[in-house]
Amino acid sequence: MRIGILAAVCLLSMPLRAENPVKEGQDKFNLAVECIKRFEGWHGEKKHWPYVGWGHKVLPGEKFTNSITKAQGDSILRADLHKLCRMFSYLGRDSLLVSVLAYNVGAYRLKGYGKMPKSRLLEKLEAGDRDIYREYVSFRCYRGKVVPIIERRRKVEYMLLFEE
């Protein structure tokens, strides 16, 4: 399996052994943030509206513009990812991986909404089945077609954030 340059660089920069588990968890979170930043890119132009920063969708009542700084964008990304981690915290060690996916595709696509059923990925995790590679990578389509860069993104996210 080809992992790509980003995955190789990220994997080489990861420490082999963390000093304490709290720091290790924070390292994973920071790794997730950097992974999102690399694949999302900066949304600083009007053509990206209603997305700002690194893929934050501006919600009703928020007063963000495309002229936010990268530090503000980083803060928004981290806050969004923390919210998603809380939403999926019942998944334990898989909450970060699922949160990164939800940041990109939307939590409603995973949890189900209206006539949209709960995703097979969540069903398997909730049942205790952690053999989720195929289900995770299946979130690689746009308008019904497989997009190679999205597929690569899913593979990198899985490799970096899935814990055996």
Side-chain angles (χ1 to χ4, degrees), residues 144-160:
K145 295 184 180 180
V146 173
V147 180
I149 189 67
I150 297 175
E151 184 174 27
R152 188 174 325 134
R153 176 181 183 162
R154 296 294 167 252
K155 289 177 180 179
V156 169
E157 290 168 351
Y158 184 86
M159 285 180 19
L160 293 176

Side-chain angles (χ1 to χ4, degrees), residues 122-135:
L122 271 190
E123 287 176 351
K124 283 182 85 170
L125 286 172
E126 290 170 352
D129 183 357
R130 296 191 71 238
D131 183 21
I132 59 167
Y133 179 79
R134 292 183 72 187
E135 287 76 13

Side-chain angles (χ1 to χ4, degrees), residues 27-161:
D27 287 346
K28 279 272 195 204
F29 187 84
N30 290 333
L31 186 60
V33 168
E34 291 305 315
C35 189
I36 291 171
K37 284 180 179 182
R38 291 208 187 264
F39 281 104
E40 280 295 325
W42 181 251
H43 296 79
E45 300 175 21
K46 289 188 180 190
K47 70 180 182 179
H48 295 266
W49 187 259
Y51 295 94
V52 297
W54 278 282
H56 172 79
K57 185 173 184 179
V58 178
L59 302 171
E62 292 181 334
K63 299 189 185 302
F64 298 121
T65 66
N66 289 103
S67 61
I68 65 171
T69 65
K70 291 198 175 187
Q72 289 170 317
D74 182 76
S75 179
I76 294 166
L77 167 58
R78 288 173 185 277
D80 288 346
L81 197 53
H82 275 294
K83 282 184 212 171
L84 290 167
C85 283
R86 281 193 303 273
M87 181 185 296
F88 294 107
S89 63
Y90 68 96
L91 296 172
R93 62 184 172 180
D94 296 317
S95 63
L96 182 59
L97 178 68
V98 174
S99 297
V100 168
L101 178 61
Y103 184 81
N104 186 237
V105 303
Y108 69 94
R109 295 262 324 268
L110 300 174
K111 289 189 157 239
Y113 179 76
K115 292 182 179 181
M116 183 179 293
K118 183 184 289 189
S119 70
R120 180 78 180 121
L121 173 70
L122 271 190
E123 287 176 351
K124 283 182 85 170
L125 286 172
E126 290 170 352
D129 183 357
R130 296 191 71 238
D131 183 21
I132 59 167
Y133 179 79
R134 292 183 72 187
E135 287 76 13
Y136 191 83
V137 175
S138 72
F139 288 91
R140 66 182 187 263
C141 299
Y142 180 70
R143 295 187 177 172
K145 295 184 180 180
V146 173
V147 180
I149 189 67
I150 297 175
E151 184 174 27
R152 188 174 325 134
R153 176 181 183 162
R154 296 294 167 252
K155 289 177 180 179
V156 169
E157 290 168 351
Y158 184 86
M159 285 180 19
L160 293 176
L161 303 173

